[in-house]
Amino acid sequence: MIPTLGHFALALALAIAAAQAVIGLFGPMLRDRILLRAAPALAIAQFLMLGAAFAALVWAGVVSDFTVRNVAEFSSSTTPLFYRITGTWGNHDGSMLLWCLILSLCGATVGVFGTNIPSSLRSRVLGVLGLVSGGFLLFTLTVSDPFRRIWPPPLHGAGVNPILQDPGLAVHPPILYTGYVGFSIAFAFAVAALIEGRVDAAWGRWVRPWTLVSWVFLTAGICFGSLWSYYTLGWGGFWFWDPVENVALLPWLTGTALIHSAIVVEKREALKTWSVLLAIATFSLSLCGTFLVRSGLLNSVHAFAASPNQGLFILVLLALTIGGSLLLFAFRAPGLAATGVFAPVSREGALILNNIFLCVIAAVVFTGTMYPPFVDLLFGLQLSVGAPFYDQAVLPLTAPLILAMAVGPMLPWKRGAIGPALAKIWYGAVLALIVFAFVLFRGHAIAALGLAGAAWVIVGALVDLAERVRLFRVPPGQSFARLFTLPRAQVGAALGHLGFGVTVLGIAGMTLRVHTVTVLHPGQSVDLGGYRWTLDRISPAQGPNYQARRATITVTRHGRLVMTMRPERRFFTAQKVKTVAAAIRTNGVRNMFATFAGEDNSGGGEFRFNVHPFAPEIWLGGLIMALGGAISLSDRRFRVGAPVRSKLRKPAGSATV
């Protein structure tokens, strides 16, 4: 009964989305206040219907209603309750329902919190969101129905994929999807502005917070996904340049560029055409990622298997969304002439340079990701583009981006000079040179460049904050007080740059890692990274729905015990699947990593041991970036919206005709 109600709510949400699209897009043309007020109400109603549908699917998973095919194929009666809930979005059909739910949440958010936006623009934004939501809901109901029934139902169910039975991956998809889908708001603002034929400083002010929300979630989602890959897959890396990882990185790159270009739109009413194009491109890349993950073109641990009908439907939806928006852009773009002017050496110029490098990096990653499937589709050739290509193509483009990142915030708006900006961060350059020389002397050229760049960016971000609070130029108490009076957007931007520098520190540190793969029997040892790793024993262990073989390893240094590690090799009885559970110990600046790959007949086992310098900083930096974005969102200027010019008052005593 509950799944039937959920299916009905899903169908009703489609009807509401259609009404939202029609009323939202055509209501402003009729200038009817009732229609303008109807669009936000319809957006909220759509969210409530999809919330009911999603709750019904979760309920079916919790009670193990195996008459629902989605539950029968991706859950079981022996699966722990937590993973019966998270298994709802751990498959294609359930993840699409979650996608639609978040998309409707975006519309409802604009309807509730978009009161500072002109009613006609808000109506058109909601109309575009309703149109996009309607397309995905139609896809979900026709070829990806999560409430499809089967009879007779199985007795226990197939169970959740063992790799997905992890708390990190339970929170990773909802956060990542919120980032993906959240860019639909920026896309809707761009299309609505093109329909109205006006992009100005107010548009830049309105679009920035919505874009920033999506960027924060996407940053956190990528961070959690990388961390999950690091400790779950057991390979000891944080980024494989897997195609599905790349399609998450692409909208992050263009979304970062959009945030910076919207600042220029707000400050100088320049880059208007470019910002609108970035908003369209960012959401289009999110849709491209959806197509690649669910079309069957990519073979990845992250990808969903999909039927040809599903891939074709998404491809048509993708073509209509991207093609329609680009056609409208081609028609309206000539009228979006820039009105503001600024010198090349200025804060605006630095933001443009930032955009250039981010978009060029995105173009390189997009080419490397899409080239193999297109070659396979056109010529039947199997190609693979791996980490060596991206490392050699992306890293040279990242270096000038890092150099400019510390200088840009030191430049004034409209017109500036390089000399005074460099004078403010000269000790950052000195520190970077010292770090570079020290690490290079130890024979690590790539690490030397990365660690020097990290020092440069981190010092630059700290100097930016120090300059704003006038540190060492006024009494310390006064500087501390000024910190709390700064606009939060400025503090958040500095934290964002600081977090990026910390992440670069972690990535560069990982190039200094040492590792070994060895076979040990109880009592045997191996030396690695200044530590002695000794296998004490291999013993059985029992999990909630798996059996395991657990290795106990002691790590000593100069004869003194440092830590005890217990990696496992697990066997899930329902799915007949073996997985590894890595053992990781950290002190905040270094990770000790051990995996148990398998056991032989003589009582020994194969192990992978790693020492990862600065590895925790990879994810710490990502969280700092997300925190910086969240602090920026709390800025009062984002809450009150763009200023509205008041009409001139008539002089006292003037006649009225």
Side-chain angles (χ1 to χ4, degrees):
M1 180 62 181
I2 298 296
T4 302
L5 292 176
H7 192 270
F8 176 75
L10 189 59
L12 187 57
L14 174 59
I16 295 174
Q20 177 185 330
V22 173
I23 292 176
L25 290 174
F26 293 100
M29 298 180 185
L30 301 176
R31 298 183 179 180
D32 189 320
R33 291 186 178 181
I34 297 178
L35 292 180
L36 293 177
R37 293 174 182 172
L42 289 171
I44 296 171
Q46 183 195 160
F47 170 67
L48 293 176
M49 289 300 101
L50 279 168
F54 190 78
L57 187 61
V58 172
W59 180 89
V62 169
V63 301
S64 297
D65 185 354
F66 296 134
T67 63
V68 179
R69 180 177 144 183
N70 183 279
V71 177
E73 293 183 351
F74 300 101
S75 185
S76 71
S77 54
T78 60
T79 301
L81 175 62
F82 179 73
Y83 297 118
R84 292 207 299 272
I85 296 173
T86 60
T88 304
W89 54 79
N91 57 85
H92 173 76
D93 296 340
S95 68
M96 287 309 303
L97 182 57
L98 177 63
W99 180 283
C100 293
L101 175 64
I102 297 174
L103 187 55
S104 68
L105 175 61
C106 293
T109 304
V110 174
V112 173
F113 297 104
T115 54
N116 60 336
I117 304 172
S119 57
S120 61
L121 180 63
R122 181 172 65 159
S123 179
R124 287 192 169 100
V125 168
L126 292 173
V128 174
L129 289 173
L131 197 62
V132 175
S133 182
F136 277 99
L137 285 169
L138 185 62
F139 167 79
T140 304
L141 279 169
T142 54
V143 297
S144 185
D145 186 2
F147 295 103
R148 192 174 304 167
R149 311 300 281 270
I150 58 173
W151 193 265
L155 184 61
H156 296 293
V160 178
N161 186 339
I163 296 180
L164 305 182
Q165 295 187 36
D166 180 84
L169 201 66
V171 299
H172 163 60
I175 295 175
L176 188 69
Y177 287 0
T178 303
Y180 272 150
V181 183
F183 285 118
S184 64
I185 301 180
F187 170 81
F189 266 99
V191 174
L194 290 174
I195 293 174
E196 293 195 344
R198 186 182 68 180
V199 176
D200 52 15
W203 182 88
R205 173 74 65 86
W206 290 320
V207 80
R208 274 181 63 198
W210 302 103
T211 305
L212 194 55
V213 169
S214 306
W215 183 88
V216 167
F217 277 98
L218 186 58
T219 301
I222 293 175
C223 183
F224 281 121
S226 171
L227 182 59
W228 169 82
S229 175
Y230 175 74
Y231 71 77
T232 298
L233 300 183
W235 62 296
F238 66 97
W239 192 264
F240 191 64
W241 292 108
D242 182 277
V244 179
E245 293 175 339
N246 293 348
V247 298
L249 178 64
L250 287 170
W252 186 88
L253 291 169
T254 55
T256 305
L258 174 59
I259 292 172
H260 291 84
S261 64
I263 298 174
V264 181
V265 174
E266 180 184 348
K267 293 288 185 181
R268 290 287 175 266
E269 292 201 13
L271 299 185
K272 294 189 288 186
T273 303
W274 176 245
S275 298
V276 170
L277 186 60
L278 276 178
I280 294 174
T282 301
F283 185 57
S284 298
L285 288 172
S286 297
L287 294 181
C288 286
T290 305
F291 168 70
L292 290 174
V293 171
R294 292 167 172 80
S295 63
L297 287 178
L298 300 179
N299 293 319
S300 169
V301 68
H302 309 82
F304 295 104
S307 68
N309 291 335
Q310 292 174 336
L312 181 61
F313 196 111
I314 296 179
L315 183 60
V316 172
L317 183 61
L318 183 68
L320 290 175
T321 304
I322 299 177
S325 58
L326 290 180
L327 185 63
L328 180 62
F329 175 80
F331 180 71
R332 289 287 196 179
L336 303 179
T339 57
V341 293
F342 52 86
V345 180
S346 62
R347 182 89 55 96
E348 294 91 339
L351 293 174
I352 292 176
L353 190 65
N354 162 283
N355 270 234
I356 292 173
F357 285 117
L358 287 172
C359 291
V360 170
I361 292 171
V364 170
V365 176
F366 182 82
T367 302
T369 304
M370 297 301 299
Y371 184 71
F374 272 109
V375 169
D376 185 17
L377 183 64
L378 296 177
F379 305 107
L381 299 177
Q382 299 289 331
L383 298 178
S384 177
V385 177
F389 165 78
Y390 294 105
D391 292 342
Q392 296 175 19
V394 172
L395 290 181
L397 296 171
T398 308
L401 176 66
I402 290 174
L403 286 175
M405 186 176 293
V407 181
M410 304 299 163
L411 292 171
W413 293 103
K414 199 171 183 178
R415 184 178 292 107
I418 292 292
L422 292 176
K424 295 178 181 178
I425 52 174
W426 64 269
Y427 33 89
V430 171
L431 178 61
L433 288 174
I434 293 173
V435 171
F436 177 79
F438 177 77
V439 180
L440 184 64
F441 179 75
R442 299 170 67 94
H444 303 285
I446 299 298
L449 287 172
L451 294 173
W456 170 255
V457 174
I458 291 172
V459 171
L462 295 176
V463 170
D464 183 22
L465 281 177
E467 286 290 321
R468 295 185 186 279
V469 300
R470 301 176 63 84
L471 188 65
F472 304 129
R473 287 183 289 173
V474 297
Q478 189 174 343
S479 294
F480 185 74
R482 287 177 62 90
L483 180 63
F484 294 95
T485 60
L486 287 177
R488 294 179 186 175
Q490 295 177 359
V491 177
L495 280 179
H497 286 191
L498 175 66
F500 183 82
V502 173
T503 296
V504 172
L505 173 67
I507 294 173
M510 281 288 282
T511 63
L512 300 173
R513 66 184 181 273
V514 291
H515 69 278
T516 185
V517 178
T518 184
V519 175
L520 296 178
H521 290 78
Q524 292 183 337
S525 303
V526 64
D527 293 326
L528 179 71
Y531 300 90
R532 171 156 292 186
W533 309 63
T534 304
L535 174 62
D536 290 343
R537 60 185 178 276
I538 300 176
S539 56
Q542 182 66 47
N545 59 339
Y546 62 84
Q547 299 174 351
R549 298 289 290 173
R550 178 181 297 160
T552 301
I553 298 166
T554 55
V555 182
T556 58
R557 188 180 182 93
H558 305 306
R560 301 180 61 181
L561 178 65
V562 176
M563 64 188 69
T564 301
M565 309 182 74
R566 295 180 175 85
E568 292 182 357
R569 180 76 172 169
R570 295 174 177 175
F571 177 72
F572 289 80
T573 54
Q575 297 86 2
K576 304 295 188 293
V577 173
K578 292 181 179 180
T579 64
V580 297
I584 304 173
R585 298 291 183 271
T586 183
N587 62 359
V589 294
R590 182 211 60 224
N591 280 357
M592 308 287 284
F593 186 100
T595 56
F596 179 20
E599 191 173 4
D600 58 27
N601 295 329
S602 61
E606 181 180 342
F607 298 89
R608 175 190 290 270
F609 300 135
N610 298 263
V611 180
H612 294 154
F614 299 117
E617 277 60 50
I618 296 174
W619 306 287
L620 175 63
L623 294 179
I624 293 175
M625 282 191 280
L627 176 63
I631 291 175
S632 295
L633 284 169
S634 66
D635 195 309
R636 181 178 177 272
R637 293 177 298 173
F638 289 150
R639 296 198 301 273
V640 300
V644 179
R645 293 181 180 178
S646 59
K647 295 182 179 179
L648 292 175
R649 292 184 178 181
K650 295 179 180 180
S654 61
T656 303
V657 179

